[in-house]
Amino acid sequence: MNVRVYTFDENKRIYRTPEHDSIAYSDGEEVEHRLLAALRQCRDLSSTSDELRRHIIDWPSEYHLSAFRHVLLRPFAISSTDRILELGCGCGAISRYLGETGATIVGVEGSQLRAQIAAQRCRDLPNVRIFCDNIVDFVSAEHFDLVTLIGVLEYAPSFIDHPDPAAECLSRAGSHLGASGRLILAIENKLGLKYFSGCGEDHTGDPFLGIEGLYPRRGAITFGRSELKILLNRAGFTELHWFYPFPDYKLPR
């Protein structure tokens, strides 16, 4: 196993390594600094916080602060004894909910500012640790009961230098699982009915882009169920269960 040393940055509340600075993924520096400021001034940081809801003014703030984010994981039996690795934890909305279950949480986020926001969201949860690293470079001596890739796999071509970045992302996620561990993967279905109806593709806004397979080489990419099944099988995931959050995985009701 590669040696990778992480030290705790008390100012940012994140674990860092000299081998990694940050990845160029952001909702906009102004937006993310605003989120960080909102979290610093709020006392109720919970997954259903009314205090945070008052800071929702646009799509990025809704996505990161909405009380509906955690609904995605409510159907799953998460125990306080579970060890959970959240790859691509973003600004910590899911990290927060997972931490509230009492489980031991390790969140990994490639963007230093977003990792800092996630750490601020979970600042009162001692069972949550946030690491700033590229998710395919992250090294841990422990194995986990649950690994999550929520809104992450579609960006694999952007941050993984590999001939098949999505497959490599899934393979690395699987390498962190214990013998009976589970992967929770959430991603847009490129063959969703709304896209056939002419709605813009989520990442580019272009209609029919996913259906016609016109994704740019290094841009975000999503999959239909059959494609995803093949990718998962190749990565060693053979027992698959499919769930369909409504209206989507981002703000499920």
Side-chain angles (χ1 to χ4, degrees):
M1 183 174 69
N2 294 332
V3 175
R4 209 166 176 86
V5 178
Y6 299 94
T7 56
F8 185 64
D9 185 325
E10 292 190 13
N11 183 46
K12 293 182 169 64
R13 298 173 179 266
I14 60 175
Y15 290 84
R16 302 173 60 183
T17 176
E19 286 82 12
H20 179 82
D21 181 27
S22 191
I23 62 171
Y25 179 82
S26 173
D27 284 312
E29 192 167 328
E30 181 181 349
V31 169
E32 292 183 357
H33 278 292
R34 189 176 72 238
L35 285 171
L36 182 59
L39 290 166
R40 281 174 170 162
Q41 65 180 270
C42 286
R43 298 182 63 183
D44 180 6
L45 301 169
S46 67
S47 55
T48 57
S49 170
D50 284 327
E51 191 178 4
L52 284 176
R53 193 175 301 161
R54 292 196 287 270
H55 290 274
I56 296 176
I57 60 173
D58 51 20
W59 167 244
S61 56
E62 182 176 17
Y63 182 65
H64 297 300
L65 303 178
S66 170
F68 288 107
R69 284 292 307 282
H70 78 285
V71 174
L72 180 72
L73 297 183
R74 289 188 67 86
F76 300 97
I78 296 174
S79 166
S80 61
T81 61
D82 284 337
R83 295 161 300 165
I84 302 175
L85 175 63
E86 186 187 5
L87 294 174
C89 66
C91 295
I94 296 297
S95 316
R96 178 71 208 191
Y97 171 71
L98 291 172
E100 290 169 357
T101 69
T104 299
I105 313 301
V106 171
V108 182
E109 171 55 41
S111 160
Q112 189 175 139
L113 178 55
R114 290 164 76 87
Q116 190 177 352
I117 295 169
Q120 193 64 222
R121 181 73 189 267
C122 301
R123 67 174 182 261
D124 57 339
L125 298 175
N127 54 320
V128 179
R129 291 174 293 155
I130 304 297
F131 289 72
C132 182
D133 203 359
N134 191 317
I135 67 170
V136 294
D137 296 325
F138 175 71
V139 172
S140 174
E142 65 177 317
H143 285 85
F144 297 86
D145 303 300
L146 185 67
V147 172
T148 70
L149 284 170
I150 298 174
V152 172
L153 184 64
E154 54 266 51
Y155 294 104
S158 303
F159 60 82
I160 300 178
D161 185 15
H162 189 274
D164 192 343
E168 178 68 3
C169 183
L170 290 171
S171 177
R172 293 294 182 94
S175 71
H176 292 290
L177 285 169
S180 58
R182 300 167 292 158
L183 171 74
I184 292 182
L185 167 68
I187 188 172
E188 299 90 347
N189 173 13
K190 77 175 187 181
L191 301 179
L193 182 60
K194 70 177 185 178
Y195 303 119
F196 281 97
S197 301
C199 289
E201 199 275 341
D202 286 47
H203 307 92
T204 68
D206 298 320
F208 308 113
L209 181 135
I211 292 171
E212 296 179 354
L214 300 177
Y215 290 114
R217 182 176 175 273
R218 297 290 293 177
I221 182 171
T222 60
F223 309 95
R225 173 170 165 161
S226 295
E227 290 175 300
L228 199 54
K229 180 178 184 294
I230 292 169
L231 276 171
L232 286 161
N233 288 164
R234 280 169 46 201
F237 297 99
T238 55
E239 183 181 339
L240 307 180
H241 302 269
W242 305 88
F243 299 85
Y244 302 92
F246 178 83
D248 55 33
Y249 82 83
K250 295 174 181 177
L251 297 177
R253 301 300 177 102

